[in-house]
Amino acid sequence: MKFLVLMLSILFSTQILALSNRSMAALGKEFVSKRDVQIHSILQKMMYQYKSENLDFESVKQDEFLNRELGNYILERVIFLEAKSFGLATVEASLVKREGSKVLGRILKSNFSKLWKELGVETDEYDVFVEQKLRSRKFISIKKEAAQVLVTDREIDQYMQQNKMDKELISQEKLRSRVKQYLGNKQGEKQLREWFELLRNKYQVRVF
């Protein structure tokens, strides 16, 4: 009887592991599992303290949630791979260890502690996830600065005319400054989206 219970327990654990490791996407020959997405999501919340929502891994909207998190993971991953390929946005190993230790402490005190232990994240693997987060964010900051574009007076005038902006509510100088900043940010974001799409193609992203 004990043997049967043990075998059923092993079988059940194997099924859970298989579900967690099922492939959701691929980047070339590198496969992305549900487990990867779960680790990424927990780290994202615990590193940056997002409080807008819970990580709802088991709800009826699980597929919708996981697909969104999968997209975030893929974006972060391709940015990290691109940074590594050019040796850019590097982070010190000591910073990875320091941040990793701090975040792990939060995880083990959180509601995700049980799931985290079930995921069985090894130390070396954990360090890679932490480095990926730090380095990808740093690389995005670099790209944002590089993506800043020059907005011409003509573009500002056209925008103000098309949107019939009330020039009496604010000084002309401040109004033009705000429009210039808005247009610059908008064009910069467009360049970043195009860059993200190039990275998806370069790293042969496929979602299953």
Side-chain angles (χ1 to χ4, degrees):
M1 183 66 179
K2 289 183 179 180
F3 177 75
L4 178 60
V5 171
L6 176 61
M7 290 303 295
L8 288 173
S9 176
I10 293 173
L11 178 60
F12 182 65
S13 298
T14 303
Q15 289 174 335
I16 292 177
L17 182 62
L19 180 61
S20 294
N21 286 332
R22 70 179 176 87
S23 295
M24 300 182 69
L27 285 67
K29 295 181 179 180
E30 175 186 323
F31 289 95
V32 178
S33 68
K34 177 183 175 183
R35 177 177 177 273
D36 293 326
V37 177
Q38 289 175 312
I39 294 171
H40 156 81
S41 300
I42 293 173
L43 271 177
Q44 183 74 9
K45 182 174 179 65
M46 292 294 101
M47 285 186 81
Y48 304 114
Q49 295 296 294
Y50 291 152
K51 299 179 181 179
S52 58
E53 63 177 309
N54 293 320
L55 299 182
D56 199 0
F57 290 121
E58 304 301 335
S59 77
V60 292
K61 296 182 179 179
Q62 182 187 61
D63 288 343
E64 178 183 334
F65 172 79
L66 281 175
N67 285 336
R68 185 178 72 244
E69 290 299 305
L70 173 63
N72 293 335
Y73 172 82
I74 289 173
L75 181 59
E76 179 183 276
R77 183 65 180 169
V78 295
I79 292 171
F80 173 66
L81 293 175
E82 186 74 352
K84 281 188 68 177
S85 70
F86 288 100
L88 299 172
T90 57
V91 291
E92 296 290 336
S94 58
L95 176 61
V96 173
K97 288 292 185 182
R98 187 165 63 251
E99 285 296 311
S101 177
K102 181 170 61 178
V103 173
L104 185 58
R106 292 176 190 162
I107 293 172
L108 296 179
K109 293 178 182 178
S110 73
N111 294 332
F112 306 117
S113 177
K114 182 180 178 182
L115 174 59
W116 186 261
K117 291 174 182 177
E118 290 173 354
L119 291 171
V121 185
E122 298 291 339
T123 301
D124 290 346
E125 180 186 25
Y126 178 69
D127 288 346
V128 172
F129 270 95
V130 173
E131 181 190 3
Q132 177 172 298
K133 289 206 165 293
L134 295 174
R135 198 164 177 178
S136 61
R137 284 174 73 91
K138 186 175 180 179
F139 196 25
I140 287 177
S141 295
I142 293 172
K143 292 296 291 187
K144 279 184 177 179
E145 290 183 14
Q148 291 181 357
V149 295
L150 178 65
V151 179
T152 66
D153 288 337
R154 182 178 180 182
E155 288 173 322
I156 295 173
D157 291 336
Q158 286 179 341
Y159 181 85
M160 292 174 66
Q161 290 172 5
Q162 290 171 359
N163 291 274
K164 299 179 180 179
M165 303 187 73
D166 192 343
K167 302 176 183 178
E168 296 181 0
L169 297 177
I170 189 173
S171 70
Q172 179 79 354
E173 184 180 350
K174 286 185 178 180
L175 182 59
R176 293 183 69 85
S177 176
R178 290 183 182 180
V179 170
K180 182 177 182 179
Q181 183 178 16
Y182 169 76
L183 292 176
N185 290 340
K186 187 176 180 181
Q187 293 178 32
E189 289 171 2
K190 180 175 181 291
Q191 288 187 12
L192 284 176
R193 286 195 300 271
E194 291 172 350
W195 178 59
F196 294 154
E197 192 59 35
L198 285 173
L199 292 183
R200 286 178 63 91
N201 292 330
K202 177 178 178 178
Y203 291 98
Q204 302 173 14
V205 173
R206 292 173 290 129
V207 177
F208 304 139

